[in-house]
Amino acid sequence: MAEERGGLFPRVRLRRLRRPGIRDLVRETRPAASDFIYPLFVDATTDTPRPVESMPGVSRLPVEAAVREAGAALEDGVRAFLLFGVPDRKDERGSASWAEDGIVQRAVRRLREEFPDAVLITDVCLCEYTSHGHCGLIEGDRVLNDPTLELLARQAVSHAQAGAQIVAPSDMMDGRVGAIRGALDREGLEDVAILSYAAKYASTFYGPFRDAADSSPGFGDRRGYQMDPANGDEALREVALDVAEGADLVMIKPALGYLDVVYRVKETFGLPTVAYSVSGEYAMIRAATERGWIDGSAAMWEAAVAIRRAGADLVVTYAARELARRARAEGRGAPA
Ligand code: PB1
């Protein structure tokens, strides 16, 4: 008999629950395949897939290639897609973003036609469509908030009219959720939901995305509208305002460096909460994997489990297909 050493040991031994088989039984966080939202870059400038060098495994896709990729992802268990457009023209106002024959609008119609049950979410912003690369209209070196709202609303309505069930404003202009909600309702699109990028930080980890979408700001940066990474309390104010304006789901972005914010937002508001594991997070794991420094599949899964454990209900991730396959395998009892 082991001598008493105070406390509850040796009667209590937590390792008893880490034995093979038991460990799986008591697992607390179990992502499902449908928890992963798959971002797709739909590109009007190419007839063939264009790999994104800084994001191994990710390509900018012409519409029909995006349809094929979505079909394969649905086979893996993915249920929702987040569409980003790469237009064949850009101008000061980002007018291609609300064009009826715009690249995202065309992709949504084709995906809706091919996969009626898929959930199509569209990113609403100007940065991919403006010649200056900012998320709003500019005057001199200022990004204008209020005049931008009407353009974002037009874009969101055009996505909804094409068949998107959810529109996701990622611009970080004040008042955009209310402006979009009002425009959708006036157009009889009251069933279309809003996923607000409510707590979106001015992060270094967006670099690869900006390569992929040709969306880097032509001057300055986005700190005049995206949040300071040092601020957690402010995120709760952002979410509260977006919920009051009509957000149905809320997003924190990036994810891994912001799990405290994910936790606080879910605990405070209890709404469907999405965390976006951004391009830089994805690229870091892929790069370390390519150098043989880390087990990339295990790292992607561990990151996804951590984001879900922190309170996110859904995870936007470029690794959605492999994570969905892993979730299905675990659900069938494969060893974790
Ligand atoms: O994966 C990513 O890095 C996403 C980047 C994100 C897309 N919503 C924004 C990053 C940026 O500020 O450039 C694009 C802003 N509309």
Side-chain angles (χ1 to χ4, degrees):
M1 175 69 173
E3 61 187 68
E4 290 298 330
R5 298 187 182 82
L8 297 174
F9 178 81
R11 291 191 306 282
V12 175
R13 293 174 180 264
L14 293 189
R15 288 185 59 192
R16 290 189 189 116
L17 297 185
R18 295 176 194 147
R19 297 178 61 189
I22 300 176
R23 181 187 183 90
D24 295 4
L25 281 182
V26 300
R27 178 165 297 124
E28 299 173 28
T29 305
R30 299 174 185 270
S34 56
D35 294 349
F36 302 114
I37 298 173
Y38 190 19
L40 292 175
F41 293 100
V42 284
D43 188 342
T45 69
T46 180
D47 295 328
T48 58
R50 291 175 57 183
V52 179
E53 187 186 352
S54 54
M55 300 174 74
V58 172
S59 294
R60 293 165 36 164
L61 302 172
V63 171
E64 289 311 311
V67 171
R68 289 192 296 275
E69 181 65 14
L74 287 163
E75 289 294 317
D76 290 330
V78 171
R79 286 293 168 268
F81 302 89
L82 176 56
L83 299 184
F84 293 96
V86 181
D88 53 10
R89 62 182 175 86
K90 299 190 179 192
D91 58 28
E92 287 290 298
R93 289 164 48 83
S95 59
S97 67
W98 61 78
E100 186 179 353
D101 65 345
I103 181 62
V104 168
Q105 292 80 355
R106 287 189 287 117
V108 167
R109 281 193 286 270
R110 274 292 291 126
L111 289 164
R112 177 63 53 243
E113 174 187 12
E114 202 74 23
F115 309 115
D117 298 330
V119 176
L120 304 181
I121 308 168
T122 54
D123 182 79
V124 176
C125 193
L126 296 187
C127 62
E128 297 136 55
Y129 302 90
T130 51
S131 46
H132 47 74
H134 275 285
C135 300
L137 289 174
I138 59 171
E139 185 176 80
D141 61 355
R142 289 179 59 231
V143 177
L144 304 180
N145 192 91
D146 299 11
T148 299
L149 302 183
E150 190 263 332
L151 303 188
L152 294 169
R154 282 172 68 174
Q155 182 184 154
V157 165
S158 73
H159 292 172
Q161 288 171 336
Q165 295 109 314
I166 303 174
V167 294
S170 67
D171 53 286
M172 286 305 280
M173 299 299 126
D174 288 322
R176 88 263 214 224
V177 173
I180 290 170
R181 185 71 270 160
L184 290 169
D185 292 352
R186 283 191 299 276
E187 294 294 329
L189 298 162
E190 63 274 4
D191 289 343
V192 175
I194 296 175
L195 160 54
S196 171
Y197 287 67
K200 176 173 180 176
Y201 289 86
S203 173
T204 308
F205 292 104
Y206 301 149
F209 175 96
R210 293 176 182 174
D211 293 344
D214 293 337
S215 60
S216 295
F219 65 87
D221 54 42
R222 294 193 170 132
R223 287 182 294 181
Y225 42 99
Q226 295 176 347
M227 289 177 62
D228 184 335
N231 295 357
D233 297 345
E234 186 186 19
L236 300 180
R237 289 190 71 193
E238 277 284 3
V239 172
L241 284 171
D242 284 3
V243 171
E245 290 178 23
D248 302 284
L249 309 89
V250 294
M251 185 195 292
I252 297 90
K253 176 183 179 185
L256 285 178
Y258 299 79
L259 296 184
D260 58 319
V261 180
V262 172
Y263 176 79
R264 292 178 70 184
V265 166
K266 184 63 179 178
E267 286 295 298
T268 304
F269 297 96
L271 280 173
T273 302
V274 181
Y276 194 142
S277 186
V278 298
S279 57
E281 298 172 33
Y282 174 85
M284 288 191 301
I285 292 176
R286 286 285 191 253
T289 305
E290 287 183 354
R291 292 172 176 241
W293 293 343
I294 198 169
D295 175 342
S297 298
M300 285 293 183
W301 181 254
E302 183 178 338
V305 169
I307 295 166
R308 287 275 286 101
R309 186 198 66 239
D313 301 294
L314 299 168
V315 183
V316 178
T317 168
Y318 300 96
R321 288 191 57 187
E322 71 178 76
L323 293 170
R325 291 195 298 268
R326 169 84 183 251
R328 277 185 158 176
E330 292 227 346
R332 289 193 295 269

